[in-house]
Amino acid sequence: KNDYKKQQYMNDRINEAAKFTEEQYLNISDTSWTNGVIQQALGACERDVEISDVLAAVTISHQAIIRKLIERAGLDHPNILTFIDTCIIVSSLEMTMLSACYDFYSKQQIVNRQLEYSNQFEADITSLAQDVANRADIVRQQAASSSLMAQSMLEKTSEVSTASEQSAMVMREAAQTAAGLIRAIEQVRAEVEI
């Protein structure tokens, strides 16, 4: 069954190629065959088929057409050179179109990759900016908290300083009182000894 499907697929491709070749030579000014060339090129590009392989296939198919013309008409046919020249011109036109399609596809792929990189870069920068903003908020909160703690410490320091001054005053007064008592005791002792 698989062999039958494979053979059917090949027959369908051969019939499509024959129809394409007929349109190409009989209706050279019609755009249907040029659209076929474009579709062929895009399909090959999407499947990563090298341009050299596609051009080789075109060359082989046109060589086969020329051989068939010679077989049918014979080398002595008065228009055989015109037939061959026509085949060469059509072949060149097809290869030029294929090359242009490959070139366009390649450039479009580059543009698409650059756009992807640009979008990724923009997303990365946006994420980085958001991260920086979040960290700046955290630093601001920590600074505000540090400021409140420093202000609280300054208030405590001020209270300690005030308490120290009051304590120093009380100690001076106590020292003066003690000095007064010592003088009084000295006077009493001096009077008792006299």
Side-chain angles (χ1 to χ4, degrees):
K1 191 173 182 177
N2 269 347
D3 287 339
Y4 174 77
K5 283 185 176 183
K6 190 183 278 187
Q7 186 61 44
Q8 184 63 42
Y9 175 81
M10 292 303 293
N11 289 340
D12 289 345
R13 298 293 77 74
I14 290 169
N15 290 336
E16 285 175 17
K19 183 180 177 192
F20 172 77
T21 303
E22 184 178 325
E23 285 181 27
Q24 193 176 32
Y25 282 95
L26 295 178
N27 301 313
I28 193 83
S29 61
D30 189 10
T31 59
S32 63
W33 79 270
T34 57
N35 290 337
V37 170
I38 293 168
Q39 293 307 313
Q40 178 186 7
L42 292 178
C45 287
E46 289 170 355
R47 288 189 292 282
D48 292 326
V49 177
E50 295 292 326
I51 183 69
S52 58
D53 294 336
V54 174
L55 295 178
V58 169
T59 300
I60 291 168
S61 73
H62 285 280
Q63 286 173 338
I65 292 168
I66 290 171
R67 277 202 260 351
K68 282 289 183 192
L69 279 171
I70 292 171
E71 281 177 21
R72 289 196 180 164
L75 282 174
D76 55 349
H77 192 282
N79 292 326
I80 194 68
L81 291 178
T82 304
F83 294 155
I84 293 172
D85 286 346
T86 302
C87 283
I88 292 171
I89 290 168
V90 170
S91 173
S92 295
L93 183 59
E94 185 177 352
M95 286 194 257
T96 300
M97 289 176 60
L98 286 166
S99 296
C101 288
Y102 261 80
D103 187 49
F104 175 79
Y105 185 85
S106 176
K107 287 178 182 174
Q108 192 61 43
Q109 292 300 97
I110 291 169
V111 167
N112 290 345
R113 277 194 298 277
Q114 288 174 338
L115 183 60
E116 287 175 20
Y117 294 149
S118 175
N119 289 341
Q120 184 60 47
F121 178 74
E122 188 176 313
D124 291 348
I125 291 298
T126 300
S127 175
L128 180 63
Q130 185 62 44
D131 188 45
V132 168
N134 291 342
R135 290 181 184 194
D137 284 343
I138 291 169
V139 169
R140 264 193 296 281
Q141 290 170 359
Q142 288 175 341
S145 176
S146 295
S147 174
L148 288 174
M149 286 179 10
Q151 187 177 7
S152 175
M153 290 172 113
L154 286 174
E155 288 172 4
K156 298 265 188 236
T157 303
S158 175
E159 290 174 10
V160 168
S161 175
T162 302
S164 293
E165 286 176 20
Q166 290 172 352
S167 176
M169 236 175 14
V170 168
M171 289 175 82
R172 261 186 256 124
E173 289 175 3
Q176 288 173 352
T177 303
L181 283 174
I182 291 174
R183 277 192 299 267
I185 291 172
E186 293 279 328
Q187 278 178 354
V188 170
R189 194 184 304 166
E191 288 176 12
V192 169
E193 288 178 4
I194 311 184

